[in-house]
Amino acid sequence: MSKRSVATPREAIGTGGDDSMREPDFLQGFERRRREASAAANAEDAELWRWFSAHVEDRRIRWLHTDNKWLVTVNHKHVATDETFDEAIRAAQYKST
């Protein structure tokens, strides 16, 4: 008597194995671009907050929240106003470098 293997339903319709768990190519490309964008954003944020920390340490930056806006001064010069602290600091870095 010979032993006969029984295929699982996935194997029977050709969707089994390691290849079935792979994402479609367009999703792999999307995921790769998402990871690259995330890494770039993290690097940009790290650079911004290093700049900010250095300016705080040197007492070269000041900020004030008034009338629902953040005003940022660098080296005694007003350089940015925005509704969010994050955007005000980003604008200050851009305008002062």
Side-chain angles (χ1 to χ4, degrees):
M1 202 165 23
S2 70
K3 235 178 177 183
R4 196 178 123 183
S5 65
V6 177
T8 66
R10 281 188 168 207
E11 291 169 334
I13 58 173
T15 60
D18 293 337
D19 288 341
S20 69
M21 301 309 284
R22 286 185 58 214
E23 295 176 329
D25 288 339
F26 76 92
L27 285 179
Q28 288 177 352
F30 175 79
E31 186 62 26
R32 180 181 47 76
R33 287 189 302 276
R34 188 192 66 75
R35 281 192 307 271
E36 289 170 356
S38 177
N42 286 342
E44 184 180 302
D45 282 350
E47 179 184 336
L48 170 71
W49 296 113
R50 278 192 301 272
W51 174 88
F52 176 77
S53 296
H55 279 66
V56 168
E57 197 171 291
D58 294 342
R59 297 182 179 178
R60 296 173 55 203
I61 188 169
R62 293 181 179 154
W63 57 92
L64 171 70
H65 188 250
T66 184
D67 297 327
N68 293 323
K69 293 190 188 223
W70 288 95
L71 291 87
V72 181
T73 303
V74 176
N75 296 326
H76 304 287
K77 180 181 176 191
H78 175 256
V79 292
T81 301
D82 204 288
E83 292 180 1
T84 69
F85 181 77
D86 184 70
E87 289 301 316
I89 296 299
R90 288 177 192 281
Q93 180 199 30
Y94 178 77
K95 291 176 183 175
S96 68
T97 49

